[in-house]
Amino acid sequence: MDWFFELPKAWCPTREAVDLEKDGRDWTRVLDPRPAAVVFPRCSEEVAEVLAFCTRYGIGVVPSGGRTGLCGGAMATQGELVLSLERLRSLGQVDPLGLTLAVGAGVTTQEVHQHCQPQGLTWPIDLASKGSSQIGGNLATNAGGVRVLHYGPTRHWVTGLDVVLMDGTLLSCGGALYKDNTGLDLRQLMIGSEGILGVITSATLRLTPLPRESQVLLLSIAELDQGLELLANARVGARLDLLAFEYFDDSCMQAVQSVRRFSSPFAERAAGYILMEVEGGLEARLEDWFQSQLESGTILDGVVAGTSSDKGRLWAFRENITESLGHLGLMHKNDVAVSVKDLSRFAHQLRNQVASAYPGDVYLFGHVGDGNLHVNVMKPPEMAPEDFWPACRAADVRLYELLQSYGGSVSAEHGIGLLKKSALAYSRGPHEIQAMRQIKQSLDPQGLLNPGKVIS
Ligand code: 2HG
Ligand code: ZN
């Protein structure tokens, strides 16, 4: 019997080819989607019924949010049922005293920002994909973004979660309590578990006052080394309050300029650029710092923006990198981190010892204030994708071995999903991986929830 016809109409089940193609994939382009059907439940109780249904029929189920992930964590490649959370769109009232907000998993990051802004508050997770990425997915992947340097990761900004387990059990963990030291923290176990332990259906988010005024600086530099010198000079030397500190190389800058038709704010090209945002107005301290960095040659050139439209224009160079690269060709992606103190040495070794092993040009950018670099490799036009992906995976081994020698991370913010599974053991020990397996086994003994992701 075809279980599809058993799915209640209230979940809007579909297996139209166009829906399967759209809802069965995320932003990765390495694998093809092959889901059996998609359902759209409206509340936690219906999500529980979907999971109980899948448990009864032994059907794999892939939770799906904004699908902006880059590691295949929301890909349905083996005939699973896709569980879309996009109809879980409740948006509660901002609590201006306790600084919390209850939201459904399907609300986008940007909608949360817009909802809190009139009260002078924000949920300080800022992602280039904020218009599409949804809260459930942000939490399930412990998403990073451009403000981790200042505010810390997503997991710091949650007080409560509602989660449905594979057998249909509904867990309410935490609510709006800021302090709660009672037993194991299941909430933090779920955050970052990439949908393999439970489905997050709603959350209570922690809020913080919007930053006071801020200034955005786009600086051109000769080497990443100078960028890291700037970071130390700004943070420790001048005691500037950094909201973001981002790096991108000139190849990323050229990609954004050609795809988005932006013109460079600089008279001359440079090897790299730093985009930094500093809290506060254009005070003498920032001006003096900027002048002294120019005079010492740490910065080659620079522009400062204080109005929101000018700030947006400078941020656009950074925020458009992923989409512009995607526009120019197929990209193989890595998202790596080492301790910031090692980043300069690591980046040199990456350029000199690893980059040549890849079959295409390497584009480097990322959240260098967090020690996090995105390593993108573009498929050469003449190379077939089926030759490109394996060649990249072979070169990845060199990158991961280098990372391992630094005690680095093979996935600083994008997670493991399907694509980075073979890399996991370069960052986590065998006993840790075994403990992860035991936790998975106890919550999902049939292995039906987001099957094949993170650990097999
Ligand atoms: C970013 O920082 C995202 O813009 C995407 O994490 C990184 O495309 C990438 O490799
Ligand atoms: Zn990133």
Side-chain angles (χ1 to χ4, degrees):
M1 186 200 45
D2 187 348
W3 53 261
F4 179 77
F5 295 104
E6 301 287 311
L7 293 166
K9 293 282 165 288
W11 304 346
C12 301
T14 171
R15 52 182 183 186
E16 295 291 321
V18 52
D19 299 313
L20 300 186
E21 165 68 24
K22 174 168 94 45
D23 290 291
R25 74 175 332 143
D26 58 17
W27 277 5
T28 50
R29 289 294 171 264
V30 183
L31 304 161
D32 291 324
R34 219 171 47 77
V38 189
V39 287
F40 301 86
R42 291 164 298 186
C43 58
S44 300
E45 288 71 20
E46 285 189 359
V47 171
E49 287 166 25
V50 172
L51 295 190
F53 177 95
C54 291
T55 297
R56 195 160 60 244
Y57 284 90
I59 304 162
V61 51
V62 177
S64 162
R67 297 186 304 279
T68 57
L70 294 167
C71 289
M75 293 286 305
T77 57
Q78 19 179 4
E80 301 95 333
L81 177 66
V82 174
L83 167 54
S84 167
L85 296 151
E86 70 179 42
R87 287 170 86 201
L88 277 67
R89 295 193 39 78
S90 61
L91 195 47
Q93 290 209 337
V94 169
D95 170 1
L97 187 58
L99 300 187
T100 57
L101 170 71
V103 291
V107 176
T108 67
T109 319
Q110 190 160 289
E111 285 168 329
V112 168
H113 292 168
Q114 288 164 349
H115 188 66
C116 302
Q117 200 194 16
Q119 317 250 18
L121 296 170
T122 191
W123 188 56
I125 309 305
D126 197 353
L127 312 163
S129 58
K130 58 185 167 248
S132 315
S133 75
Q134 298 173 6
I135 296 301
N138 289 170
L139 301 182
T141 58
N142 184 33
V146 295
R147 303 254 185 248
V148 175
L149 175 76
H150 189 78
Y151 294 105
T154 297
R155 65 169 72 252
H156 291 182
W157 294 94
V158 185
T159 62
L161 280 189
D162 287 338
V163 180
V164 184
L165 303 182
M166 191 60 215
D167 64 2
T169 308
L170 233 157
L171 297 182
S172 272
C173 324
L177 290 181
Y178 184 51
K179 293 179 90 170
D180 181 13
N181 214 0
T182 50
L184 300 184
D185 193 337
L186 299 177
R187 196 183 36 170
Q188 290 298 341
L189 178 65
M190 292 295 164
I191 298 173
S193 66
E194 302 187 50
I196 65 166
L197 301 181
V199 178
I200 297 171
T201 54
S202 63
T204 307
L205 306 178
R206 271 183 69 199
L207 307 178
T208 187
L210 278 163
R212 294 173 283 131
E213 272 176 289
S214 72
Q215 303 292 318
V216 173
L217 292 84
L218 183 61
L219 312 168
S220 62
I221 54 174
E223 284 272 8
L224 176 58
D225 300 25
Q226 269 79 56
L228 294 165
E229 216 177 291
L230 282 174
L231 176 66
N233 296 348
R235 220 169 18 180
V236 185
R239 288 187 290 124
L240 298 176
D241 202 351
L242 297 182
L243 289 167
F245 195 89
E246 298 284 312
Y247 165 80
F248 44 98
D249 68 14
D250 190 46
S251 56
C252 297
M253 180 63 140
Q254 297 309 316
V256 172
Q257 285 184 34
S258 73
V259 174
R260 292 282 177 246
R261 305 201 181 284
F262 293 165
S263 50
S264 170
F266 303 116
E268 285 179 30
R269 280 171 67 170
Y273 305 87
I274 293 289
L275 186 139
M276 58 190 262
E277 184 156 1
V278 182
E279 189 163 8
L282 189 58
E283 290 145 12
R285 200 152 47 102
L286 177 57
E287 275 209 54
D288 289 350
W289 177 83
F290 180 57
Q291 282 310 328
S292 68
Q293 301 308 308
L294 268 176
E295 276 155 30
S296 67
T298 320
I299 301 173
L300 301 175
D301 201 352
V303 280
V304 182
T307 66
S308 74
S309 56
D310 288 348
K311 286 195 278 190
R313 261 192 286 282
L314 294 187
W315 262 114
F317 287 102
R318 169 63 182 89
E319 288 188 326
N320 278 284
I321 295 174
T322 296
E323 280 193 59
S324 302
L325 294 180
H327 207 268
L328 292 177
L330 270 185
M331 305 299 298
H332 171 73
K333 288 176 181 288
N334 271 297
D335 162 38
V336 302
V338 295
S339 148
V340 186
K341 72 172 170 31
D342 295 330
L343 191 59
S344 166
R345 208 155 52 91
F346 170 78
H348 279 290
Q349 286 177 293
L350 170 58
R351 284 253 182 239
N352 300 331
Q353 297 165 20
V354 178
S356 60
Y358 284 108
D361 292 338
V362 173
Y363 295 72
L364 274 189
F365 63 105
H367 320 285
V368 291
D370 308 326
N372 181 188
L373 277 179
H374 297 308
V375 185
N376 278 226
V377 182
M378 189 173 295
K379 184 185 81 59
E382 67 285 358
M383 195 169 190
E386 53 276 23
D387 297 330
F388 176 64
W389 301 123
C392 287
R393 282 196 292 273
D396 281 344
V397 173
R398 280 207 205 177
L399 175 64
Y400 300 152
E401 283 172 356
L402 178 63
L403 275 166
Q404 198 172 30
S405 71
Y406 283 91
S409 173
V410 293
S411 189
E413 56 175 9
H414 296 168
I416 295 296
L418 276 179
L419 299 189
K420 300 298 169 193
K421 267 166 56 174
S422 61
L424 184 63
Y426 289 92
S427 282
R428 310 295 292 263
H431 299 306
E432 281 182 290
I433 295 176
Q434 180 56 17
M436 292 183 204
R437 286 215 171 89
Q438 285 166 346
I439 294 170
K440 167 74 174 167
Q441 170 72 21
S442 71
L443 293 178
D444 178 20
Q446 293 186 71
L448 295 175
L449 191 49
N450 218 5
K453 312 291 164 45
V454 187
I455 41 176
S456 293

